[in-house]
Amino acid sequence: MIIDVHTHINNYHEDRVVSLEECLNLLTETMQENKVDYSLVLSSYKVNEHRPSTKKVVEAISGRDNLGVVAGISYLNYTHRDLKEISEFLDEGLIKGLKLYPGYEPFYPNDKRLQVVYDMAAEYGVPVMFHSGDTYSPTGRIKYSHPIHIDDVAVDFPELKIVICHVGNPWIKDCMEVVYKNKNVYSDISGLVLGDFSYKFEKFMKKELEEMITYAGNPQYLLYGTDWPISNMHSYLNFMKQLDLPDEKKELILWKNAADLFKIDVSKF
């Protein structure tokens, strides 16, 4: 079984408007080709013709049992109405988590303005995912997306489940320490590459992740994710095959950790 905890249906090329239905169909076709059983779709911190709102994504995936939604929240622009809508989705079980984008937006994760978000996530028992590490856009400010800043949130909100996206790449060792130290912190391996892994980069990243697991122990904190369509699903699964880990540990990463953390009912697929 495979659960991809990190996909998007944003239109990143923006040379033409692509319908939400087209994006979802392409995602599900790509999942089927790669035998991926379930994916989480992360909505953006901004909404425009290329980036659908959480509400639109929730409505669009209705009836697609192999997809779930993680609600993107804008630090700069969220309102009480946004939080009310998200709480209603949480009440109805329509979203699986929340996502914040430090680095793309200029804030540190321990900003007091976010306490209401963390309290809500803890109350509903859903994780908060944080963009971490390098930004896809050169206009991002990476001082905000260093994984070390997640430690403050983990300590201040011990009941909150946290996911450091992209293993904080290139600060994987710093991410490793935050994960090792805080039992409420997880990390996904998404977005490590644009498109396909090259042989040299695959070899480099394989060593980095294996060292992380050696340091932080049994990978009950590590989640499989791709960042599709930015990263290629087939290339990612091939990368997973290269990891020098026993099958039971790969299973934890590929689906078991995610099913437990995001409360995904695997009996449906």
Side-chain angles (χ1 to χ4, degrees):
M1 191 173 290
I2 301 168
I3 294 175
D4 187 336
V5 303
H6 200 127
T7 71
H8 297 278
I9 48 175
N10 302 329
N11 178 29
Y12 290 106
H13 300 294
E14 301 186 357
D15 52 346
R16 67 185 181 94
V17 177
V18 181
S19 75
L20 182 50
E21 195 68 18
E22 281 180 87
C23 292
L24 282 171
N25 287 340
L26 181 57
L27 171 58
T28 52
E29 286 165 17
T30 309
M31 288 167 60
Q32 190 172 15
E33 287 167 10
N34 291 281
K35 299 180 180 175
V36 174
D37 298 276
Y38 186 94
S39 290
L40 289 173
V41 176
L42 282 53
S43 63
S44 181
Y45 61 99
K46 58 184 177 181
V47 177
N48 56 36
E49 61 182 345
H50 301 291
R51 294 171 182 252
S53 68
T54 297
K55 186 174 190 289
K56 285 189 175 179
V57 179
V58 166
E59 290 170 349
I61 72 155
S62 177
R64 297 181 188 244
D65 288 341
N66 62 343
L67 296 178
V69 180
V70 172
I73 296 176
S74 169
Y75 167 81
L76 291 175
N77 299 307
Y78 83 74
T79 67
H80 73 280
R81 291 184 185 86
D82 296 322
L83 297 184
K84 183 174 183 291
E85 180 180 77
I86 288 170
S87 70
E88 289 169 356
F89 289 147
L90 287 166
D91 269 331
E92 296 170 38
L94 296 175
I95 58 177
K96 295 290 188 182
L98 311 178
K99 172 78 185 288
L100 291 163
Y101 291 83
Y104 288 103
E105 292 190 305
F107 69 94
Y108 290 109
N110 65 354
D111 193 298
K112 296 299 182 188
R113 187 165 187 260
L114 294 170
Q115 179 164 349
V116 63
V117 174
Y118 303 151
D119 287 342
M120 180 168 63
E123 179 185 343
Y124 284 97
V126 299
V128 175
M129 304 177 77
F130 290 89
H131 172 78
S132 186
D134 182 43
T135 56
Y136 179 70
S137 165
T139 60
R141 298 175 187 269
I142 57 174
K143 69 178 181 180
Y144 297 108
S145 58
H146 196 293
I148 201 74
H149 302 304
I150 305 296
D151 183 58
D152 277 356
V153 184
V155 172
D156 291 343
F157 298 89
E159 301 304 313
L160 178 66
K161 301 295 186 184
I162 294 167
V163 179
I164 300 175
C165 297
H166 321 306
V167 286
N169 183 42
W171 300 294
I172 294 176
K173 284 183 171 58
D174 300 272
C175 175
M176 177 195 308
E177 171 58 19
V178 178
V179 167
Y180 172 73
K181 173 183 172 287
N182 300 290
K183 300 309 177 189
N184 56 334
V185 179
Y186 301 73
S187 186
D188 79 28
I189 64 170
S190 69
L192 299 178
V193 66
L194 298 178
D196 296 338
F197 282 91
S198 67
Y199 171 74
K200 282 187 176 179
F201 190 72
E202 183 177 71
K203 187 176 177 182
F204 166 77
M205 197 52 70
K206 173 181 181 294
K207 181 173 178 288
E208 291 282 307
L209 284 185
E210 287 170 355
E211 284 182 356
M212 179 178 187
I213 293 166
T214 300
Y215 181 86
N218 196 38
Q220 292 174 318
Y221 50 83
L222 207 55
L223 308 163
Y224 176 75
T226 57
D227 216 6
W228 184 92
I230 292 170
S231 304
N232 180 286
M233 282 193 187
H234 178 73
S235 186
Y236 244 89
L237 286 168
N238 188 59
F239 170 66
M240 277 297 299
K241 289 177 185 175
Q242 310 309 314
L243 291 178
D244 187 16
L245 295 171
D247 287 344
E248 61 269 21
K249 291 190 176 181
K250 285 186 180 179
E251 262 200 310
L252 286 174
I253 299 168
L254 283 169
W255 72 274
K256 285 187 174 179
N257 295 339
D260 181 57
L261 177 63
F262 290 97
K263 300 183 178 69
I264 298 166
D265 183 358
V266 296
S267 68
K268 289 186 176 180
F269 47 89

